[in-house]
Every structure is written in structure tokens, then in C-alpha cells.
Amino acid sequence: MTLHIPRISGIDFAAVGKQLGYLEIEHSDNENDASVIPSPIAVISGGDGPTVLLLAGTHGDEYEGQILLQELIRSVRVDDVAGRLVILPALNISAVREGRRVASVDGVNLNRAMPGRPAGGPAQQIASIVSEELIPMADYVMDIHSGGIASEYVPSAFVYLGPTPELWAEKVAAVSAFNVPYSVAVKPMLKAGSISGAADLAGIPMISTELGGRGTVSLPILNRARAGLRSLLGHWGVLKDEPNPSDVTGTDGPIRWVELTAHSAVHSTMAGLFEPVVSLGQTVSAGDVVARVHSVEELDRLPKDFHSPVDGVVAIVRHPAIVNVGTTLVNIAVDHGTTPPEGNHVPS
């Protein structure tokens, strides 16, 4: 028995072993007539067991996941796997090559492009393969993100609430197994066209991450996520002989659950230089000054203070100092402590 997917070159998804290949993304422009953009894929199968789909490089300026999945491809042996790992470490390869959130070839945010279009541009083609071919064959999905160049997050798992009690329970268990300091929860179907939304629509348990950011790699966060990834794959039953999450070294207490809401973002109402007045993970009260913007040209203009809209935790801080009207400066998340929020919500 064989299982081949059109435009995924070199992979028989039914075969046992380690295979390396490409998503062949067709693209024609002024310089190239019907050329192919190759997005790398690895499939490691040890036989019977669950299928886990692992993605990174959905945004090209987010590096921790790319490193983690490259390491996993090189280090995992076929005998280590019960089931099948499908790994795409540089999903939007054009954006990865440029080190940018979206690729200049099409300017499309891949994490807003699901379900995509087979005859569309590069990101639309990738989205179509992920949503129509790869997610449906998976039992579990993980998409590894960080804040990229523009922002920094508390090191966290990132999950959509719901959409059913059963899927929410699976997500909470996966967050516990991954075991990084925070879990950020958001409303169901938060962003149209996201991979998390595509997995929810398919009924497949999925967690994402936000592992720092600032356009660089944090070694402590990378090490924590490195251990957490293998623990999660053990929890999902696809890696043999992985430790229980409670036995992973380097843990520092229970996971703190926070929730981003419609009131979390603090937007600038003037252009200038952003001064963060708070730190990631800091607890704040509604009305506290959390950001300040200084005018560049108007030398006699006083800086403008921006205040927290809610009680909560500083979950995201912008990184570049130059801001404009409408730029998000910080996000304040509601603090649920160590108790996961109720997840059985109706999408809104």
C-alpha cells in the first residue's frame, strides 16, 4: 500500500522509515516561468500509532520552532516512533529565507490564509495542502510560533478555547504536557484563516505556542520548549519512552493560564518612540500606566501615557520603538492563575 499526495515530492505517507521531501509550490513571475518553491517536509514513521503534524516557519521571523523541528528531524530514529511524525520546519519557506513575517513574493500572512486555494499564490497553495491534505490525516497538530521581529510574548502555549468540551480537554492536557510557564487562551476562531481555526473545524486537537520573540532566539526558552516538545510527543503517544511531564527537569511551578480578550490590546494614538513602562509577566491593575510614547519632531510636546484597560498580566510587549497611530504597544491578559478557563464556548 502506498499513499502519495500531489505536489508533495518524494514522500509515501504509508511507508515505514524516515523520508525527506518537499511541498512543490508552483510560482510564475517576471523572472521565473512555472518555477517551484520547495517547502521541506520530513515524515518519520514507525508503524501503527497516531499521526502528529508539526509545523514551524509559518511566519519566517519566528525561529525557535524552526530550530526545534530541524533538531527533531535529525535526532529521532524510526525505532523511536510509534505512529507517524509529519514535520514541516520551514512551512512558508519564502518568508523563512527572508526572515520576515510574510514573504515578499505574495505578501500573504500564511496564518490567515486557510483553507487556501490550490491555484492561488504561494501562501494560498501551502494553506490548501495543510488544510485539505495534512490536517485531515493527523490525530494531533502543533504549530510553533514566537513573537517575531515585532513583539515579545511570555513563553507560552497558545490555544483557542473550545470548540467542544472534548477538544478543549485534549488541549488542556497537551498544554500540561508541553509544560512551559504560561498558557495563553483566546476565543474560538479568533483569527479567520488561521491554522488553529482549521484544526478546530476539522475536529483535530491542536496547540500552538508563542516562545518569546524580538527577532532572536532565547536560549532558556528554547531549552524549556525542547524538553516540552518531547514530553508532548510522548503524551500524544507518538514518541516512545518519553518522561512524564512532571519529571522534566527545569520546571518551575504550575502553568499560569492567561486569556487575551477584546479589551487586552493597548493601541497608540500618536506616532513616535515607544517606551515600555512594564515588563513581560508583570501584574498590573486597570488604570496603571503601561506604555509611553514620545514625539520625535515636536520637541516641546510632552510624552503621552497609555493605561491598562483591565486588571491582568502583561502578556505581549512590542519590540521596535518606532510606532504609529494604531500600533499595538502591549497586551494585558486576564489572569486565571493555575486554573484553565472554561473552554466550551460558542465561536463568536
Side-chain angles (χ1 to χ4, degrees):
M1 176 182 175
T2 61
L3 176 58
H4 295 279
I5 295 175
R7 295 202 296 182
I8 300 185
S9 176
I11 301 293
D12 176 0
F13 285 87
V16 172
K18 181 182 289 191
Q19 304 171 78
L20 306 178
Y22 297 95
L23 278 59
E24 294 183 342
I25 308 305
E26 297 179 358
H27 179 63
S28 180
D29 57 20
N30 289 330
E31 297 180 3
N32 301 287
D33 178 20
S35 64
V36 169
I37 301 172
S39 178
I41 181 172
V43 177
I44 309 171
S45 177
D48 293 337
T51 293
V52 175
L53 173 63
L54 299 173
L55 308 171
T58 302
H59 296 136
D61 61 347
E62 302 172 6
Y63 303 117
E64 286 85 355
Q66 298 179 48
I67 292 171
L68 291 171
L69 295 191
Q70 290 278 3
E71 287 181 342
L72 195 70
I73 292 166
R74 293 191 295 269
S75 64
V76 169
R77 303 169 302 165
V78 172
D79 290 346
D80 298 329
V81 178
R84 179 170 52 188
L85 287 169
V86 180
I87 308 171
L88 294 99
L91 184 61
N92 191 349
I93 183 63
S94 296
V96 167
R97 287 170 174 168
E98 296 175 356
R100 303 179 69 184
R101 180 173 177 83
V102 303
S104 59
V105 68
D106 57 10
V108 173
N109 183 343
L110 180 53
N111 206 29
R112 304 291 184 270
M114 305 292 143
R117 292 184 296 113
Q124 293 285 346
Q125 291 179 52
I126 296 169
S128 175
I129 294 170
V130 170
S131 64
E132 296 179 9
E133 304 287 356
L134 298 179
I135 288 177
M137 77 164 54
D139 297 289
Y140 306 99
V141 181
M142 185 181 201
D143 186 19
I144 306 176
H145 288 262
S146 60
I149 292 171
S151 60
E152 183 177 13
Y153 284 69
V154 289
S156 55
F158 190 97
V159 286
Y160 278 22
L161 291 160
T164 66
E166 294 77 17
L167 277 178
W168 179 243
E170 292 257 27
K171 293 178 186 180
V172 171
V175 167
S176 178
F178 187 55
N179 196 30
V180 293
Y182 289 84
S183 182
V184 175
V186 297
K187 73 175 186 178
M189 307 305 291
L190 174 70
K191 298 295 185 181
S194 70
I195 296 173
S196 290
D200 276 359
L201 290 172
I204 308 299
M206 171 176 165
I207 70 170
S208 186
T209 72
E210 293 292 352
L211 302 176
R214 299 169 64 91
T216 186
V217 176
S218 162
L219 184 57
I221 293 175
L222 183 67
N223 284 335
R224 182 70 176 266
R226 184 178 279 131
L229 176 59
R230 296 190 73 96
S231 174
L232 175 61
L233 296 178
H235 165 75
W236 278 339
V238 73
L239 274 193
K240 304 173 185 176
D241 303 322
E242 285 303 315
N244 184 284
S246 62
D247 297 329
V248 175
T249 59
T251 59
D252 55 1
I255 296 165
R256 189 172 182 179
W257 284 84
V258 299
E259 183 176 355
L260 292 175
T261 72
H263 306 292
S264 291
V266 177
H267 300 292
S268 181
T269 56
M270 67 175 283
L273 298 174
F274 163 52
E275 174 192 350
V277 181
V278 291
S279 301
L280 275 176
Q282 182 176 333
T283 299
V284 298
S285 299
D288 287 352
V289 177
V290 293
R292 184 172 293 126
V293 175
H294 302 261
S295 175
V296 176
E297 296 90 355
E298 300 176 74
L299 301 182
D300 58 348
R301 183 176 180 179
L302 293 175
K304 186 170 185 177
D305 287 345
F306 294 86
H307 302 83
S308 176
V310 295
D311 297 341
V313 176
V314 180
I316 312 169
V317 176
R318 175 176 170 81
H319 178 50
I322 294 291
V323 299
N324 212 329
V325 175
T327 300
T328 301
L329 305 174
V330 298
N331 279 265
I332 310 300
V334 174
D335 189 4
H336 292 279
T338 59
T339 303
E342 175 60 43
N344 184 22
H345 295 305
V346 176
S348 58

